[in-house]
Amino acid sequence: MLKKIYHLGYAVEDIAAAARFYEEHFGVQVGEPEEVAEQGIVATMFEVGESMVELVQPTRPDSPVGRFLQKRGEGFHHVAFQVEDLQASLKELKESGVELIDEEPRVGASGARMAFVHPKGAHGVLTELVELPSDKR
Ligand code: CO
């Protein structure tokens, strides 16, 4: 089901400061932040080889990432696996009893189709599945 680690998501208080940190000290190029209003976040990415790191800042304290920051502080938030067929993967997981946050794909940053698996059902790790438009046949 899984093609690769697409990105790791970091929850940050200040996306501009975090982007500057990785640019200055690790020499990466961070993209323009993009707001995903539905999720209450602004997010951006930088490449690390074939994978990426996603920096996520909440735009409101009551969004899921806002609540995460209040409870846990900054740090690792989720892993995103790239899948071939998101709809089929969600169906397979649901049928085998895995608890999902999103039973249907939704549209995330950059227009990619994505869905979250509940961390309770995934040994404590919030797990995102992503299907890229280029994977569509
Ligand atoms: Co993500």
Side-chain angles (χ1 to χ4, degrees):
M1 182 190 294
L2 307 180
K3 291 180 80 173
K4 68 170 198 179
I5 292 180
Y6 182 58
H7 65 252
L8 300 176
Y10 296 177
V12 300
E13 301 273 5
D14 180 340
I15 198 166
R20 229 171 17 247
F21 172 81
Y22 286 102
E23 283 173 345
E24 270 177 25
H25 300 287
F26 293 87
V28 301
Q29 274 196 315
V30 181
E32 278 301 306
E34 182 186 341
E35 189 175 349
V36 185
E38 188 207 9
Q39 295 177 39
I41 58 162
V42 57
T44 187
M45 304 255 200
F46 61 85
E47 288 182 1
V48 183
E50 297 220 311
S51 302
M52 290 185 280
V53 170
E54 176 181 50
L55 304 173
V56 184
Q57 180 196 316
T59 52
R60 44 174 208 267
D62 66 335
S63 66
V65 181
R67 287 196 298 270
F68 176 92
L69 273 184
Q70 280 164 32
K71 231 166 84 182
R72 313 262 289 265
E74 287 190 308
F76 177 74
H77 180 256
H78 67 274
V79 62
F81 295 128
Q82 187 178 339
V83 297
E84 195 80 40
D85 184 335
L86 181 55
Q87 192 91 57
S89 299
L90 291 174
K91 187 165 177 276
E92 208 174 310
L93 289 169
K94 197 186 171 190
E95 283 172 1
S96 59
V98 176
E99 192 180 341
L100 304 175
I101 292 176
D102 303 305
E103 296 197 351
E104 291 297 323
R106 52 184 168 141
V107 177
S110 319
R113 281 150 53 84
M114 49 82 70
F116 280 111
V117 176
H118 203 288
K120 270 189 211 154
H123 298 268
V125 180
L126 177 59
T127 300
E128 175 182 353
L129 302 178
V130 181
E131 178 190 302
L132 300 183
S134 56
D135 292 339
K136 268 280 171 210
R137 283 162 298 178

